[in-house]
Amino acid sequence: MGKLLEVNNLSISFTQYVQGLNRHDLKVISDLSIDIDESEIVAVLGSSGSGKSLLAHTILGILPYNAHVTGDVNFKGQILDQEKKEKIRGKEICLIPQSVNFLDPLMKVSQQAVGECKDDNERKEKEKRQREVFAKYGLDESVDDLYPFELSGGMARKVLLSTALLNDPDLLIADEPTPGLDAKSVEETIQDIRSLKEHGKGVLLITHEIDVALRTADRIAIFYSGYVIEINKVENFLNSENLLHPYTKALVDALPKNGFKLTEGVQPLEDVPGCPYYENCPIRLDKCQNNKPELIEHDGIMIRCFNFKETGSEEVVSEETGSEDVVSEEVVSEETGSEDVVSEEDNNEEEINDEA
Amino acid sequence: MMKLKAENISFSYNKKRPILKDISLSLESNQIIGLIGDSGSGKSTLCKIMAGYITNFTGDVTIDGKEISRNGFDPVQLIFQHPEKTMNPKWKMEKVLRESWIPPQDLKDTFGLKDNWLTRWPSELSGGELQRFSILRALNPQTKFIIADEISTMLDAVTQVQIWEALIKHCRANDIGILAVSHDKDLLDVICDDILYFKELNHL
Ligand SMILES: Nc1ncnc2c1ncn2[C@@H]1O[C@H](COP(=O)(O)OP(=O)(O)OP(=O)(O)O)[C@@H](O)[C@H]1O
Ligand SMILES: Nc1ncnc2c1ncn2[C@@H]1O[C@H](COP(=O)(O)OP(=O)(O)O)[C@@H](O)[C@H]1O
Ligand code: SF4
Ligand SMILES: [Mg+2]
Ligand SMILES: [Mg+2]
C-alpha cells in the first residue's frame, strides 16, 4: 500500500499581465514533493509567502484560474484530477483554511458547520455534534446564531475548525489553525489533531507556531521560497544544532524563547537560478549561485543544500560526489508531470473581520 | 515624553452583549507595553477605540490629558494582524505607501523594503512583505503611539524578529510608545517593558 497522500514534483506558476499585454510567468512552487501516511501528522513550517497555502489549495483543487500546475497529487493510490478533488473535498479531505473569508457571510455559523445533510436524521445527528464541538471550543449557544462578521478572528477560526472536524475526514489539511487563539483553545486544537491520528487519519498541519508542530507532528517539512529545503524528525527541532539547513536553524533560533535571534534578509521574489537561500546564506559556496541543490536523503532526513553540516559533527558534507550540479529541475518536472490547469475561486488570501 | 490614556472605557456592539466595561490603561511614549488575553475577549475592540476607529464608546481616550483630534493625521496609529485588509487592492505598493508619507531610504532599508516591491500589487506580496509596508506606513513623523494588534501572528519566526527589531529601534529613537497585543507570552516577555492581562482590566 502506498501512502495516504503523495504530492510529486509539484510546480506552480502564475501568469501575470504586466502593463497590458506583456505576459510574465511567476514561479511560486518548484519541484515540491511531500507525503503523508495514515496515522501520521506532517507539519509544514516556513517563510511567509513560501507556498504553504498554495500547496493546500492544490490538494483541494481550489487554486485561482491563472495558476499553472505541473506534477501530481495521489490520494489512497489514485491520481486526483480536478473532478476527483471536487468530489472528495469536504468529505474524505477537509481543509481548515487560513483565511476566514472562506466562511459564507450570509449564513449563520452553526448552519455552516453542519453543512449539507442527506436527510433529517443526519441533520439531527450533526446538529447535536455541532453543539458539542462548539461547546468544547468555548462557543456558547449565543454564537450559533451569529453571522461571520460578528465573530472575532479567534472565534471565526474555531468555527472553521469545528466545521472540518464535523465531517470526519481521512485527511485533514489545517492551514494555520491556531493564530490568535488563546492557550486553552490551542490546547483543544492540539488534542483534536492528535485524536485524528489515533483514529488512523492523516494530517497536514501548516503553521508558524513551532510549539504546535512540535507537540503534534511526526515529521516537519520546511518551506522556503517555494522549495522544500528540509524534512526532519520532530526531536531534532529541540536543538538547532541538529538541524541541517541554515534557514531551518535560523528559524528555530528566532523563536522568542530560543533567543529571538535576528537573521537578516528576505526570500527572493522570483525563482533564482541557484539555491533559493543563496542571497542570505552564511555558509554559501560559489556553486550555490547558479546551481540548484536537489532534495536528497541523508540519514533518513531530507535536505536541499550543497553544504550542510552533518548532525552532531563539525564536518561539512559536500554533495559533489553524488548528484552532479543539477541545473534547474523545472525542465524535468514539466516533462514528466501531468498537466493540470485548474480553475476556480479567487485566491482571496486572508481574512478576518478585524477591520469590519 | 507623552502619555496616552484610556479611562473607564465601556462598549458593546449590541445591547445584549457588553464587551468592554470600565477599562483603564495608560502608556508612555518611551514604553512598550504588552496586552495579552483570550480570543474574542475584546482586545481588538479596545485597540480600535484607542486608535479612533470606533467612536460610540463611553469613557475617554486622551494624550497628556487632552482629547485626541482624529481629523487629519491621527497620532495613534493602529497596525492590524492582516495587512492586506487595509490596502486598496487596486493600488500598487508605491501608492499604498505614499498615501501616508514618503519614508526616507534609510528607514526603508531598516525595514528591509525592497525597491522592486514598490511596483507590485498587494496580492503579489506575501504577508511578511505586506506587513513591512503597513508598519512603515504607520510610522509617519506625526505618529506618537503605535497600537500593534497581533502584527506578527501570521509571520514566520525569522520575519517576526526582523519586524520587531526594526519597529522597536525606530520607536525608541523617536519617542513613540507601543501597545503590543499578542497571545504569545514568550514574545511579549522578550519585547515589552511590562505586560497587562486583559481580563484583569475588563470589569465585566
Ligand atoms: N493569485 C496569485 N497571483 C500571483 N501570486 C500569488 C497568487 N497567490 C499567491 N501568490 C504568491 O505565491 C506565493 C506563495 O503564497 P502562499 O499563500 O502559498 O504563501 P504561504 O506560504 O501560505 O504564506 P503565509 O505564511 O503568509 O500564509 C506568495 O509569494 C504569493 O504572493
Ligand atoms: N463588528 C462586530 N459586530 C458585532 N460583534 C463584534 C464585532 N466585532 C467583534 N465583535 C464581538 O466582540 C467581541 C470581542 O471581539 P474582538 O475585540 O475582536 O476580540 P479579541 O481581539 O480579543 O479576540 C467578540 O465576542 C466578537 O464576537
Ligand atoms: S546550497 Fe549553498 S546557498 Fe543554499 S543553503 Fe546550502 S550552502 Fe547555503
Ligand atoms: Mg498561508
Ligand atoms: Mg483580535
Side-chain angles (χ1 to χ4, degrees):
Chain A
M1 241 321 261
K3 303 268 184 171
L4 180 62
L5 179 84
E6 273 178 49
V7 176
N8 297 315
N9 309 102
L10 178 73
S11 294
I12 301 178
S13 55
F14 286 106
T15 305
Q16 297 183 310
Y17 290 89
V18 203
Q19 275 148 8
L21 295 171
N22 287 329
R23 233 183 89 153
H24 177 72
D25 277 336
L26 181 68
K27 195 155 181 222
V28 287
I29 286 195
S30 310
D31 187 35
L32 189 146
S33 299
I34 196 165
D35 58 68
I36 301 166
D37 228 333
E38 289 168 0
S39 292
E40 190 184 32
I41 301 174
V42 176
V44 172
L45 291 174
S47 54
S48 59
S50 60
K52 304 180 294 296
S53 297
L54 290 177
L55 169 64
H57 295 177
T58 308
I59 298 169
L60 273 290
I62 51 171
L63 286 170
Y65 69 95
N66 62 336
H68 181 71
V69 181
T70 63
D72 59 64
V73 179
N74 280 268
F75 181 65
K76 297 179 176 171
Q78 276 195 336
I79 289 195
L80 293 187
D81 55 21
Q82 184 61 20
E83 197 185 330
K84 285 211 188 82
K85 286 177 182 173
E86 283 170 22
K87 224 171 112 203
I88 64 176
R89 75 171 169 234
K91 300 184 182 82
E92 286 164 79
I93 304 182
C94 281
L95 172 70
I96 303 175
Q98 177 174 9
S99 164
V100 297
N101 287 345
F102 277 77
L103 287 170
D104 181 342
L106 302 177
M107 210 197 254
K108 288 180 181 171
V109 295
S110 57
Q111 285 173 335
Q112 302 196 38
V114 169
E116 290 169 40
C117 299
K118 285 194 297 284
D119 52 40
D120 276 356
N121 274 344
E122 188 183 329
R123 175 169 305 280
K124 282 217 183 79
E125 176 57 29
K126 277 181 114 180
E127 280 172 353
K128 195 166 140 260
R129 284 187 48 219
Q130 174 264 323
R131 191 82 288 289
E132 287 165 10
V133 176
F134 272 36
K136 201 166 67 161
Y137 283 94
L139 303 173
D140 62 37
E141 267 156 37
S142 72
V143 176
D144 287 354
D145 290 337
L146 296 181
Y147 290 90
F149 81 95
E150 297 175 298
L151 304 176
S152 77
M155 294 162 84
R157 197 155 293 291
K158 292 175 185 177
V159 169
L160 289 168
L161 180 79
S162 309
T163 307
L165 291 175
L166 274 168
N167 286 310
D168 199 19
D170 294 331
L171 174 67
L172 175 70
I173 300 179
D175 191 358
E176 304 274 5
T178 53
L181 290 190
D182 50 80
K184 189 172 158 285
S185 309
V186 171
E187 201 55 41
E188 290 290 352
T189 312
I190 288 174
Q191 296 307 336
D192 278 329
I193 288 173
R194 283 197 189 139
S195 126
L196 282 173
K197 172 185 156 135
E198 277 155 26
H199 288 90
K201 315 297 170 107
V203 180
L204 179 70
L205 170 67
I206 299 172
T207 183
H208 284 307
E209 308 201 21
I210 300 190
D211 272 338
V212 175
L214 289 179
R215 295 191 43 210
T216 52
D218 299 291
R219 290 181 292 151
I220 300 182
I222 307 294
F223 281 28
Y224 187 82
S225 197
Y227 291 84
V228 174
I229 55 162
E230 179 164 357
I231 304 179
N232 209 324
K233 294 175 222 136
V234 168
E235 52 272 24
N236 286 338
F237 284 79
L238 297 174
N239 178 353
S240 67
E241 296 271 302
N242 294 336
L243 297 167
L244 299 186
H245 197 283
Y247 176 76
T248 317
K249 287 178 197 282
L251 196 63
V252 168
D253 290 336
L255 294 178
K257 63 170 173 232
N258 292 352
F260 209 55
K261 188 169 164 247
L262 176 69
T263 302
E264 306 269 5
V266 295
Q267 71 176 28
L269 264 190
E270 304 260 333
D271 195 24
V272 291
C275 170
Y277 200 50
Y278 177 77
E279 211 187 310
N280 306 317
C281 181
I283 56 163
R284 66 188 178 195
L285 310 170
D286 284 345
K287 72 168 174 184
C288 305
Q289 184 170 13
N290 290 310
N291 300 287
K292 269 201 202 307
E294 269 194 290
L295 190 66
I296 57 151
E297 191 182 326
H298 175 78
D299 265 356
I301 296 164
M302 303 300 289
I303 170 75
R304 190 189 286 276
C305 172
F306 289 126
N307 192 27
F308 63 88
K309 275 210 177 123
E310 206 170 345
T311 330
S313 83
E314 287 306 296
E315 187 191 338
V316 167
V317 181
S318 197
E319 267 319 300
E320 247 131 4
T321 39
S323 56
E324 268 299 301
D325 304 350
V326 182
V327 189
S328 159
E329 291 112 44
E330 283 160 54
V331 188
V332 184
S333 59
E334 225 120 68
E335 274 162 13
T336 51
S338 68
E339 296 248 331
D340 181 7
V341 183
V342 267
S343 65
E344 207 167 315
E345 273 178 52
D346 251 313
N347 182 24
N348 282 330
E349 259 304 285
E350 304 327 270
E351 35 190 297
I352 301 238
N353 63 347
D354 252 350
E355 283 74 63
Chain B
M1 212 211 4
M2 294 196 190
K3 190 170 195 155
L4 173 66
K5 243 181 164 171
E7 284 172 291
N8 304 320
I9 305 288
S10 297
F11 178 76
S12 62
Y13 287 99
N14 63 52
K15 292 197 181 61
K16 276 190 294 188
R17 281 174 77 219
I19 309 276
L20 312 177
K21 183 148 186 266
D22 276 341
I23 294 192
S24 298
L25 66 89
S26 70
L27 168 68
E28 293 180 2
S29 53
N30 62 354
Q31 282 184 313
I32 301 171
I33 302 288
L35 178 63
I36 194 162
D38 287 354
S39 54
S41 61
K43 304 178 299 298
S44 299
T45 305
L46 179 65
C47 292
K48 285 177 202 160
I49 288 174
M50 294 183 69
Y53 283 73
I54 293 177
T55 51
N56 57 335
F57 62 96
T58 59
D60 297 300
V61 181
T62 56
I63 292 180
D64 291 341
K66 289 197 275 293
E67 203 173 311
I68 303 165
S69 157
R70 307 290 191 181
N71 306 321
F73 193 85
D74 196 321
V76 184
Q77 284 289 307
L78 178 56
I79 306 172
F80 293 96
Q81 180 177 354
H82 300 280
E84 61 286 343
K85 290 225 122 189
T86 64
M87 289 170 186
N88 186 335
K90 297 203 172 94
W91 287 2
K92 292 209 168 160
M93 296 315 299
E94 197 164 15
K95 192 166 174 196
V96 169
L97 192 56
R98 197 180 298 149
E99 188 194 12
S100 169
W101 70 309
I102 300 173
Q105 191 58 42
D106 65 326
L107 202 56
K108 283 197 241 168
D109 292 342
T110 311
F111 280 89
L113 210 86
K114 299 264 174 100
D115 277 335
N116 63 355
W117 297 353
L118 290 167
T119 54
R120 299 220 168 199
W121 308 103
S123 64
E124 294 167 2
L125 293 173
S126 74
E129 288 146 8
L130 289 175
Q131 197 60 297
R132 291 169 206 264
F133 275 96
S134 66
I135 293 173
L136 210 52
R137 192 171 61 164
L139 291 179
N140 184 301
Q142 298 171 57
T143 300
K144 301 295 176 231
F145 292 94
I146 291 282
I147 315 249
D149 188 6
E150 303 268 11
I151 61 168
S152 55
T153 302
M154 304 304 285
L155 307 177
D156 63 83
V158 168
T159 309
Q160 168 165 276
V161 183
Q162 292 176 351
I163 280 185
W164 275 112
E165 293 255 330
L167 181 60
I168 291 172
K169 183 174 155 211
H170 180 84
C171 290
R172 294 270 194 228
N174 292 280
D175 198 32
I176 296 172
I178 304 178
L179 181 69
V181 180
S182 174
H183 64 288
D184 186 349
K185 175 84 166 39
D186 292 334
L187 172 69
L188 294 182
D189 280 339
V190 179
I191 60 172
C192 297
D193 304 317
D194 199 6
I195 298 179
L196 303 172
Y197 291 83
F198 191 78
K199 62 171 181 286
E200 290 170 13
L201 298 180
N202 202 3
H203 300 97
L204 263 188

